[in-house]
Amino acid sequence: MLVKTFGSATVGVNAVIVTVEVNVCEGMGLSLVGLPDNAVKESTERIFSAFEQVGCKMSSKKTIINLAPADLRKEGSAYDLPIAIGMLAGMNHISVHPSELEKYVIMGELGLDGSLRPIKGVLPIAIEARKQEYKGLIVPAANAREAAIVNKLEVYGVHNLREVIDFFNGVGTLDQTIVDTRAEFANNLNHYDFDFADVKGQIGAKRALEIAAAGGHNVIMIGPPGSGKTMLAKRMPSILPPLTLEEALETTRIHSVAGKMRQEDSLLAVRPFRAPHHTISDVALVGGGTNPLPGEISLAHNGVLFLDELPEFKRQVLEVMRQPLEERRVTIARARMTIDYPASFMLIAAMNPCPCGYYNHPKVACTCPPGTVKKYLNKVSGPLLDRIDIHLEVAPLTNEQLMTASPGESSAAIRERVIAARAIQTARFAGHPGVYCNAQMGSKLFQRYCVLNAQCKQMMSLAMDRLGLSARAYDRILKVARTIADLEGAPDINHEHLAEAITYRSLDRDNWGTVYI
């Protein structure tokens, strides 16, 4: 008897329907074909044990299982449940007509006791099931809320194999999991663990990060240990514009494929904040591996990627970010396939000014020998620094400032100004697909929207000469100046906007990091 059930495989952040064909015929033995990996091949042992627990005996006939399309590699343990249901139907332990089985996409990992364990990639699977017009999706109960954010699809969360058998035999029912996606999104939209009101002092640093959030600019913070760099970075998502529902679905899909969703989560409603350790490998950062998965830059999509102690990262790891920073996506090429992962994130980097950490400290003397400061900075390549718009020097607070400083401005208040500036940019770039903020402007848009008057041109020329600014700093300064003007609602860049923007390019100065003795 030939029976078909349907599962799904994830390819990148999308899903492909997999047909599980089970044929119980004359002969002996069991064959599993269709390019399965070891985890899929081992599914038969888990299935046999689960059958014993639910009181279903294996047939003595030959069983052939094919996973189609046969040229797509099947990976992971999520095919246990569709294979088991197909085998049970082929052995007449499930009496429903085969056409009823074909109305559902079924996925789940079986335990030896017949229980179901959560799987990865449920959201893209649910999206594909709805697209292919299946009636419903049956997944482990731990994944049900995640799948249920896809409307016009019946989602059933099950705890064990017996529940699925009874459902198809008509002797039991399954409760449909229903999630109000828009209500869920609205309820969790502004839930942040950190707030800028917790940061005492650092008015200049807060101002720079507000500008960065308003224009989507990348930032590097340089300062001694304890100056508050990490504290400031962790609060960056709280002042970024709220996610749209479309962005939330896109971000959730990436985290679902990577297996980063918690059981209680259904939809990620706040911008992600990823802070990998400096020992991370290049594959873990950008994605890939034998079985390609999203890396940290994709998990930070629509959010913030924080790289603390930037010079301590391996040079190779940092260099692989250069292309994703420009194109806002990363392409993983393998012999069998090429996968694109989105990677539109804001980079926030932090570093000490020197190996000992106290260069330019107002009270503690730097113990580094001459030339060490410049050598330390050179661990970060010029092309990478070129992609960072704002260079922010963070000075430590004195004891008196720390004890007497009043609570700072809240993230909510800062965010209102950021949202207003982003609204100006949204209107400005409405006719330019793929451009949403000032940091994304190309050369043509730059020439159109970053025009300087005579006074500003004179100021810029003087700054380039006196401060020894590099040529690569020119357009970065003007983009930041354009954002400062947007925060003030000014139609054009004036000398005050430009003067402030110039102060945020400290690492481009010829004499930065030079120790005079």
Side-chain angles (χ1 to χ4, degrees):
M1 180 178 178
L2 177 62
V3 177
K4 292 182 182 180
T5 59
F6 293 91
S8 183
T10 54
V11 181
V13 293
N14 298 310
V16 176
I17 296 298
V18 173
T19 303
V20 180
E21 300 174 320
V22 180
N23 188 22
V24 179
C25 55
E26 294 300 323
M28 296 182 63
L30 184 145
S31 298
L32 177 58
V33 297
L35 213 58
D37 71 351
N38 286 335
V40 181
K41 292 177 182 177
E42 292 170 354
S43 66
T44 54
E45 302 299 327
R46 294 189 291 272
I47 290 170
F48 293 162
S49 177
F51 283 177
E52 289 183 4
Q53 299 301 315
V54 296
C56 296
K57 290 186 178 181
M58 277 296 299
S59 171
S60 58
K61 294 184 177 181
K62 182 175 180 62
T63 303
I64 304 172
I65 304 166
N66 178 46
L67 307 178
D71 61 345
L72 176 67
R73 187 163 182 79
K74 318 305 184 304
E75 300 164 347
S77 55
Y79 299 98
D80 292 3
L81 188 57
I83 292 173
I85 295 300
M87 292 174 67
L88 289 169
M91 295 182 296
N92 295 317
H93 290 296
I94 290 179
S95 57
V96 69
H97 193 274
S99 62
E100 285 298 311
L101 289 176
E102 295 175 10
K103 294 179 180 179
Y104 297 88
V105 173
I106 307 169
M107 294 294 284
E109 177 189 339
L110 281 171
L112 296 183
D113 59 353
S115 62
L116 284 169
R117 298 192 175 103
I119 60 173
K120 298 179 181 178
V122 168
L123 179 56
I125 291 171
I127 292 171
E128 184 64 19
R130 182 184 65 179
K131 181 180 177 182
Q132 298 294 335
E133 297 183 348
Y134 284 89
K135 179 181 179 181
L137 173 66
I138 298 175
V139 292
N143 297 119
R145 283 182 54 79
E146 180 185 336
I149 66 174
V150 179
N151 57 15
K152 299 179 181 179
L153 180 73
E154 297 177 8
V155 175
Y156 298 102
V158 291
H159 297 89
N160 54 62
L161 179 60
R162 171 52 65 186
E163 290 181 7
V164 186
I165 296 171
D166 291 345
F167 172 70
F168 283 119
N169 281 332
V171 297
T173 59
L174 295 176
D175 294 329
Q176 183 179 346
T177 303
I178 299 175
V179 172
D180 187 335
T181 305
R182 294 188 179 278
E184 188 87 4
F185 177 65
N187 290 338
N188 298 318
L189 194 57
N190 295 311
H191 288 182
Y192 293 97
D193 295 328
F194 304 103
D195 195 287
F196 267 97
D198 304 329
V199 182
K200 294 184 177 181
Q202 300 295 5
I203 303 301
K206 292 178 183 177
R207 166 67 175 173
L209 292 181
E210 178 182 337
I211 294 168
H217 303 288
N218 299 322
V219 181
I220 183 169
M221 295 185 285
I222 311 101
S227 56
K229 303 185 295 295
T230 302
M231 190 175 187
L232 288 163
K234 285 183 176 180
R235 284 151 179 78
M236 196 67 186
S238 67
I239 64 171
L240 289 172
L243 284 170
T244 64
L245 183 56
E246 182 181 355
E247 287 176 329
L249 286 167
E250 187 178 27
T251 305
T252 305
R253 182 188 296 195
I254 297 169
H255 284 249
S256 175
V257 169
K260 302 295 183 182
M261 295 292 293
R262 298 178 301 176
Q263 182 174 343
E264 63 270 22
D265 290 336
S266 59
L267 185 68
L268 295 180
V270 296
R271 295 188 181 272
F273 178 86
R274 306 293 299 182
H277 192 261
H278 62 258
T279 57
I280 191 173
S281 67
D282 52 349
V283 172
L285 186 67
V286 301
T290 306
N291 304 324
L293 287 174
E296 288 292 332
I297 64 173
S298 294
L299 293 171
H301 181 62
N302 291 324
V304 174
L305 178 69
F306 177 48
L307 301 183
D308 201 3
E309 306 296 345
L310 187 67
E312 303 302 328
F313 283 78
K314 297 176 184 177
R315 183 70 171 250
Q316 179 184 355
V317 172
L318 295 179
E319 295 307 297
V320 296
M321 283 201 307
R322 284 159 54 177
Q323 186 177 358
L325 279 170
E326 289 291 330
E327 298 184 358
R328 299 188 177 272
R329 64 187 310 103
V330 60
T331 301
I332 308 297
R334 293 292 180 266
R336 291 184 176 272
M337 67 182 73
T338 299
I339 298 173
D340 281 344
Y341 290 119
S344 180
F345 59 91
M346 179 182 291
L347 174 64
I348 307 293
M351 60 178 284
N352 293 330
C354 64
C356 79
Y358 294 102
Y359 175 69
N360 271 348
H361 195 283
K363 291 187 177 182
V364 183
C366 175
T367 59
C368 298
T372 303
V373 179
K374 198 72 174 178
K375 183 179 179 181
Y376 189 68
L377 177 61
N378 287 341
K379 288 185 176 183
V380 184
S381 70
L384 182 60
L385 283 176
D386 185 32
R387 289 162 171 79
I388 300 178
D389 297 347
I390 295 177
H391 304 164
L392 175 62
E393 294 188 60
V394 183
L397 296 179
T398 64
N399 293 337
E400 183 180 353
Q401 289 173 325
L402 192 60
M403 290 185 287
T404 60
S406 58
E409 190 176 20
S410 70
S411 292
I414 299 173
R415 179 192 266 193
E416 290 300 320
R417 296 193 294 269
V418 169
I419 292 173
R422 284 288 184 105
I424 294 172
Q425 295 165 49
T426 299
R428 176 183 299 142
F429 303 126
H432 304 280
V435 180
Y436 306 103
C437 56
N438 290 333
Q440 298 175 349
M441 282 192 289
S443 57
K444 290 184 179 180
L445 293 176
F446 172 78
Q447 294 171 9
R448 181 176 176 181
Y449 296 114
C450 297
V451 179
L452 298 181
N453 58 33
Q455 183 182 11
C456 288
K457 287 181 179 178
Q458 184 179 5
M459 175 186 289
M460 193 68 195
S461 177
L462 191 63
M464 298 283 286
D465 291 336
R466 288 193 177 181
L467 300 177
L469 297 175
S470 67
R472 70 170 180 252
Y474 179 77
D475 64 335
R476 303 292 172 178
I477 289 173
L478 264 60
K479 287 181 181 180
V480 173
R482 177 66 268 173
T483 300
I484 296 171
D486 290 341
L487 279 168
E488 294 186 2
D492 301 308
I493 298 173
N494 64 36
H495 66 282
E496 293 178 351
H497 307 144
L498 189 61
E500 184 177 0
I502 290 171
T503 64
Y504 298 132
R505 293 300 297 185
S506 58
L507 295 184
D508 278 319
R509 299 173 189 171
D510 287 343
N511 63 348
W512 197 96
T514 302
V515 180
Y516 298 99
I517 57 173

